[in-house]
Amino acid sequence: EAGVAQSPRYKIIEKRQSVAFWCNPISGHATLYWYQQILGQGPKLLIQFQNNGVVDDSQLPKDRFSAERLKGVDSTLKIQPAKLEDSAVYLCASSLVSDTDTQYFGPGTRLTVL
Amino acid sequence: DQQVKQNSPSLSVQEGRISILNCDYTNSMFDYFLWYKKYPAEGPTFLISISSIKDKNEDGRFTVFLNKSAKHLSLHIVPSQPGDSAVYFCAASLDQFYFGTGTSLTVIP
């Protein structure tokens, strides 16, 4: 079974630039998550999708972050414009149905904002 | 507001000995707890979980203990192996997963 795929693996941008990350979850997984992991901290949930609907985006900084999962499969997370404090690893995870199901994580995208 | 805490950022253990990783939480409503293991440049991988109705769950060398009165979770690895060297995150589930800050385990051959 293929795991969660993410791209790119690394991205370096300057502040005020835009960036987008892509995630392809495990086939058949209805729930998709985006997490932000700042160095030395645990992953923090940004947004949770159930199929193509948003379940929880309470911790997403909506003035600069956006995410979509149009066909209930792949998802993109965008930051526009980026700030220095956005430097982090962005993890995508998926689970079968509910938020108590085991989450399977992708390798993450390491973003550096200069 | 950190609802899940791992107070030891690092731990070193000799190969063959027991590794004990600890986790404390503040919200008594959490109903499911998990441990994830993370190698460098990889995403976290699921290791073991426990429901709040149990106090122990065992899977091979890994055992998770839950003490609800103390709001404390621990992961025991016996015997520890060099391949266990990684960062371990505990997580608690309610409406979403809340992760601790991680403990870096080094198993010395």
Side-chain angles (χ1 to χ4, degrees), chain A residues 99-100, chain B residues 29-34 91-98:
Chain A
D99 49 18
T100 55
Chain B
M29 298 298 291
F30 287 137
D31 56 5
Y32 193 60
F33 302 88
L34 308 92
S93 173
L94 185 58
D95 52 333
Q96 59 172 275
F97 279 23
Y98 296 87

Side-chain angles (χ1 to χ4, degrees), chain A:
Chain A
E1 179 184 79
V4 176
Q6 289 188 248
S7 68
R9 292 296 312 275
Y10 304 91
K11 190 74 178 178
I12 300 174
I13 61 173
E14 295 189 350
K15 60 183 179 183
R16 290 188 289 274
Q17 285 188 321
S18 302
V19 65
F21 313 127
W22 173 82
C23 173
N24 181 240
I26 292 173
S27 177
H29 280 195
T31 308
L32 185 146
Y33 312 80
W34 283 102
Y35 287 88
Q36 180 192 57
Q37 185 177 10
I38 293 172
L39 187 65
Q41 299 182 20
K44 183 187 85 170
L45 181 68
L46 292 175
I47 189 167
Q48 176 183 341
F49 292 94
Q50 181 90 9
N51 296 309
N52 60 347
V54 175
V55 173
D56 184 351
D57 64 356
S58 57
Q59 298 188 88
L60 187 74
K62 298 181 188 64
D63 57 334
R64 298 184 300 106
F65 286 64
S66 64
E68 59 183 13
R69 193 184 184 199
L70 290 175
K71 296 182 180 178
V73 181
D74 293 5
S75 177
T76 56
L77 176 70
K78 296 179 182 177
I79 308 175
Q80 181 179 9
K83 292 186 175 181
L84 296 177
E85 58 262 35
D86 297 333
S87 294
V89 175
Y90 290 85
L91 293 162
C92 179
S94 68
S95 65
L96 267 174
V97 178
S98 76
D99 49 18
T100 55
D101 290 329
T102 299
Q103 295 183 20
Y104 297 86
F105 285 82
T109 297
R110 180 175 295 278
L111 173 67
T112 302
V113 182
L114 304 175

Side-chain angles (χ1 to χ4, degrees), chain B residues 6-39:
Chain B
Q6 294 176 255
N7 292 318
S8 298
S10 62
L11 174 69
S12 291
V13 171
Q14 284 292 134
E15 181 179 3
R17 306 293 290 269
I18 184 171
S19 295
I20 300 176
L21 296 96
N22 294 303
C23 179
D24 296 298
Y25 60 94
T26 56
N27 191 337
S28 58
M29 298 298 291
F30 287 137
D31 56 5
Y32 193 60
F33 302 88
L34 308 92
W35 284 95
Y36 279 82
K37 176 171 145 178
K38 185 181 183 306
Y39 292 117

Side-chain angles (χ1 to χ4, degrees), chain B residues 4-6 20-25 32-36 48-52 54-57 63-68 70-76 89-93 98:
Chain B
V4 179
K5 296 179 183 179
Q6 294 176 255
I20 300 176
L21 296 96
N22 294 303
C23 179
D24 296 298
Y25 60 94
Y32 193 60
F33 302 88
L34 308 92
W35 284 95
Y36 279 82
I48 192 168
S49 63
I50 187 167
S51 165
S52 61
K54 295 187 174 182
D55 55 19
K56 177 182 173 181
N57 188 26
T63 304
V64 56
F65 294 93
L66 177 62
N67 182 335
K68 284 180 290 185
K71 297 193 182 74
H72 180 79
L73 189 69
S74 64
L75 174 69
H76 292 208
F89 292 96
C90 66
S93 173
Y98 296 87

